[in-house]
Amino acid sequence: MSFTRRRLPRFRRDGARIPPLHLTPRDLEILRRVGEHRFLRSSHIRRLVGGSPQRVLRRLQLLYHHGCLERPRAQIEYYGGIGKEIVYGLARKGAALLRGQAEARPRLPIGGAGKGTGRVFLDHALMLADILVAIELACRNRPGVRFLSRESVPLPTSVSHSREPFHWFVNLSTRHRIGVIPDAVFGLEYANADGLTETAWFMVEADRSTMPVLRQSLDQSSYFRKLLAYEATWTQRIHRTRLGLPRFRVLSVTTSAERAASLVQACRELERGHGLFLFTDLASLLAAGDCLTHPWATAGAPDSLMPNGSAEEVSSG
């Protein structure tokens, strides 16, 4: 019986009935990409690493049954049967293999990604993966634009070895000091009108519509308080002192056009910094032919991820 006909269990490892694993460069790339995103669907992985879809699926199966990848059990709740995609996370063995490679990234997860992962966390992580993979693939299709992961952020030496370099605090008032942790950070490297290389940096918020947009008190969490925190990051120049970024913008991707409109309205309530923020819904972003030129909503006129004069002026910080 061939390997492809063995009907191996999907969510229980069976090391006795699979061939030995001889790691290939593509296997290591799969592990690196899964570790970078925390969780990826099989279609994300196929699109990121390239190659024959069937071959990639076979490698994913091998990597799972040999303990290099996890299949988080939370996905069983919505696993719809044969033909549906499987979600993968990096297992401890996979993380150890990456740490043994010279090119391994320094801030990889420690592994065990699938054992204690709940449905809410998994849904959020997959929404974030949808956003970042779509943007990275759009960059591959646009000559002269390169996607940069958060590992490319020019962190100052004092921060680069921090356990949580992308976690900081801002003062909203004399009695409100809150933490900021972007869901993701990435950059777009491009050539400007003079032919010089520049980088536009973005922070991402994947909004599942579970947080109230506005509340009466800043003591309570709300999306408006999140916007205030990013505005304070800019006005207090934390993006420069902690992250080493000359400027940045914040992308909010949410679940519906109606929710996006409500976030835009909340943004209009800010006293300043409106140009920092771009809003859209996930379905519209994924349906766009080119999400780099997709019209993102703002507190003013629609804008895109491709740099322009107005965005540079507003978010120069």
Side-chain angles (χ1 to χ4, degrees):
M1 182 178 293
S2 70
F3 170 57
T4 57
R5 294 178 179 271
R6 289 190 176 187
R7 302 276 184 182
L8 291 168
R10 290 189 177 91
F11 298 101
R12 177 176 55 81
R13 290 192 176 92
D14 187 348
R17 294 194 297 138
I18 58 172
L21 176 64
H22 302 290
L23 279 174
T24 68
R26 178 170 289 162
D27 292 337
L28 291 172
E29 177 66 4
I30 289 172
L31 295 177
R32 185 182 72 81
R33 298 316 300 261
V34 174
E36 183 179 280
H37 287 272
R38 192 64 184 272
F39 295 103
L40 288 174
R41 295 185 179 90
S42 58
S43 62
H44 291 144
I45 299 168
R46 294 198 307 269
R47 296 169 73 194
L48 287 170
V49 306
S52 160
Q54 196 61 35
R55 183 182 296 272
V56 172
L57 290 176
R58 283 198 293 267
R59 299 311 294 182
L60 289 173
Q61 188 177 53
L62 269 177
L63 289 168
Y64 167 70
H65 284 283
H66 279 281
C68 299
L69 291 175
E70 295 280 7
R71 291 172 174 172
R73 298 190 64 82
Q75 67 187 290
I76 296 175
E77 297 178 28
Y78 55 86
Y79 191 83
I82 296 174
K84 297 296 183 181
E85 292 185 63
I86 293 180
V87 175
Y88 290 89
L90 188 65
R92 291 185 180 276
K93 183 176 178 180
L97 288 170
L98 284 178
R99 282 194 291 268
Q101 300 296 312
E103 68 273 18
R105 305 298 177 103
R107 289 190 289 271
L108 286 168
I110 62 172
K115 295 181 179 179
T117 302
R119 170 71 182 272
V120 173
F121 182 89
L122 186 61
D123 284 347
H124 182 267
L126 289 174
M127 181 179 183
L128 189 61
D130 285 339
I131 297 163
L132 295 176
V133 170
I135 294 172
E136 179 173 350
L137 294 175
C139 290
R140 293 184 186 181
N141 293 327
R142 179 176 285 269
V145 180
R146 188 163 72 100
F147 180 90
L148 302 177
S149 72
R150 77 173 200 164
E151 301 301 331
S152 300
V153 175
L155 295 171
T157 304
S158 59
V159 178
S160 60
H161 299 296
S162 169
R163 182 178 178 85
E164 295 289 349
F166 296 97
H167 180 194
W168 61 90
F169 290 87
V170 296
N171 296 313
L172 299 185
S173 67
T174 56
R175 55 184 293 267
H176 291 103
R177 178 174 171 83
I178 66 171
V180 183
I181 308 177
D183 288 335
V185 180
F186 74 92
L188 297 180
E189 186 180 84
Y190 63 98
N192 65 19
D194 298 322
L196 301 176
T197 299
E198 293 192 17
T199 303
W201 293 102
F202 300 90
M203 300 178 191
V204 182
E205 292 292 335
D207 172 51
R208 296 287 303 168
S209 301
T210 56
M211 179 183 292
V213 177
L214 291 167
R215 284 200 170 162
Q216 292 183 343
S217 171
L218 290 178
D219 293 326
Q220 300 172 300
S221 63
S222 68
Y223 210 87
F224 182 67
R225 192 178 77 163
K226 190 186 293 284
L227 298 178
L228 284 172
Y230 279 114
E231 179 195 42
T233 298
W234 171 52
T235 58
Q236 296 168 26
R237 302 174 70 84
I238 295 172
H239 60 294
R240 290 179 178 270
T241 58
R242 182 173 182 85
L243 303 180
L245 304 181
R247 53 188 175 269
F248 72 98
R249 303 188 85 183
V250 181
L251 309 182
S252 294
V253 182
T254 189
T255 53
S256 69
E258 293 75 18
R259 172 76 171 186
S262 67
L263 299 184
V264 171
Q265 186 57 43
C267 182
R268 293 193 178 105
E269 300 298 319
L270 297 173
E271 291 185 3
R272 58 183 302 189
H274 303 92
L276 290 171
F277 302 101
L278 301 170
F279 305 89
T280 194
D281 64 280
L282 182 62
S284 296
L285 183 67
L286 298 182
D290 179 358
C291 62
L292 297 182
T293 56
H294 168 67
W296 293 68
T298 73
D303 206 346
S304 71
L305 299 191
M306 296 305 295
N308 59 56
S310 60
E312 295 287 319
E313 179 182 354
V314 171
S315 59
S316 59

